[in-house]
Every structure is written in C-alpha cells, then in structure tokens.
Amino acid sequence: MAANPTNPSQNTSQFIKLSETNYLKWTRQIRSYLNGAGLWGYVDGSIPAPSLTTETTATETVPAKTIPNPEYVKWFTTDQQIFNIMITSLTDSVSDLTVGYDTSKEAQIPVHRQVGNNLPPGNVGYPVIGERPTSSSLRVRKATPRSSS
C-alpha cells in the first residue's frame, strides 16, 4: 500500500540506515518507497516548490494584495515529511551532512557527494540520487578478470 502524500512517513521504522558502506542499497530503498508513494518528484525536482506567495483578485472595492500561497504550504509540509524520512534513515555521521539544508532535494546532494562517491572501485551507482537512472547505472558492475584459454 502506497503512503498517503499527506503522511508519507508510514512504515519507515524498518529502513536501513545509510552509512559509508551501503549507499546503493539505501538509495534503492528510499527511491522505491518514495516512487511508490508518488513522492520522488520532491527529491528529483520534478515536483517543484510553488511560489511562496500569490495575488488575490482585485475587485471594485478591494485592491489585489499578495498573500501566502496555500499550495506552497502544502508542498512544504509534504517535503518536510520526506526530508524527515531521509534524515531518520541516516547514521549520525551521514545525517550531519544535511545540516543547513531546508528541502529534501537540497539535502540529498551533499549526501550523494560525500557517501555516494565513496563506492568501491569498479562499482557504478546512480550519478546523483535525483537523476533518472540509465540502463548502465541500474547495474552494479564489478570488474572481473577474464581467463585466458
């Protein structure tokens, strides 16, 4: 059952925690969960933040005015729930990389750069957690020596 977009943090207590050694497994877990909930777009940017404010319609007696955008408030609330899923599935040392970032999209970049780039030699993973994978990045390839006949 997919998570409700207003409560995407259902059933995440059993998630593995990202450490310096399990980036590919963690990425697959987070990505498949959020994809299944229809929420991955917050992380990859395909569901962008709406404008912070909106204009009211002017009438003959009331001028137009700028007000907080209720769509932004809904977007931000959902993004913060996704951000919470992400940071609670990180070890303490990896979680420190997200300090100072406000959205799930922003926070995934330093995590990938620090932990995702530490893949063992010969392994190929996602170039950036928010990018769409190609057929070659979906496989973990390990160099294997060829035997000579």
Side-chain angles (χ1 to χ4, degrees):
M1 179 178 194
N4 179 338
T6 60
N7 185 14
S9 61
Q10 301 172 31
N11 302 317
T12 59
S13 63
Q14 298 301 313
F15 277 11
I16 59 167
K17 291 199 176 271
L18 175 63
S19 68
E20 289 77 15
T21 61
N22 63 356
Y23 180 78
L24 292 175
K25 183 187 258 186
W26 175 84
T27 299
R28 182 67 187 135
Q29 170 186 261
I30 290 293
R31 186 181 184 111
S32 64
Y33 178 81
L34 293 175
N35 267 328
L39 299 170
W40 182 250
Y42 286 80
V43 178
D44 74 9
S46 62
I47 301 175
S51 171
L52 282 169
T53 59
T54 189
E55 294 287 321
T56 61
T57 304
T59 66
E60 288 183 28
T61 58
V62 179
K65 66 179 184 176
T66 302
I67 61 169
N69 184 351
E71 291 303 312
Y72 176 81
V73 173
K74 288 190 326 192
W75 179 91
F76 186 74
T77 299
T78 300
D79 183 72
Q80 292 303 287
Q81 291 171 334
I82 295 165
F83 197 172
N84 188 345
I85 290 169
M86 292 174 66
I87 62 174
T88 57
S89 70
L90 306 175
T91 58
D92 288 343
S93 62
V94 177
S95 181
D96 289 345
L97 300 170
T98 67
V99 172
Y101 295 96
D102 296 323
T103 68
S104 57
K105 181 181 177 190
E106 293 171 348
Q108 61 84 17
I109 294 170
V111 170
H112 165 75
R113 287 186 179 146
Q114 184 69 31
V115 182
N117 284 337
N118 291 331
L119 296 173
N123 287 328
V124 177
Y126 295 112
V128 173
I129 196 173
E131 291 180 0
R132 302 282 182 213
T134 62
S135 60
S136 63
S137 71
L138 290 174
R139 294 175 289 207
V140 175
R141 299 184 303 229
K142 294 187 180 184
T144 54
R146 295 183 184 208
S147 60
S148 46
S149 308

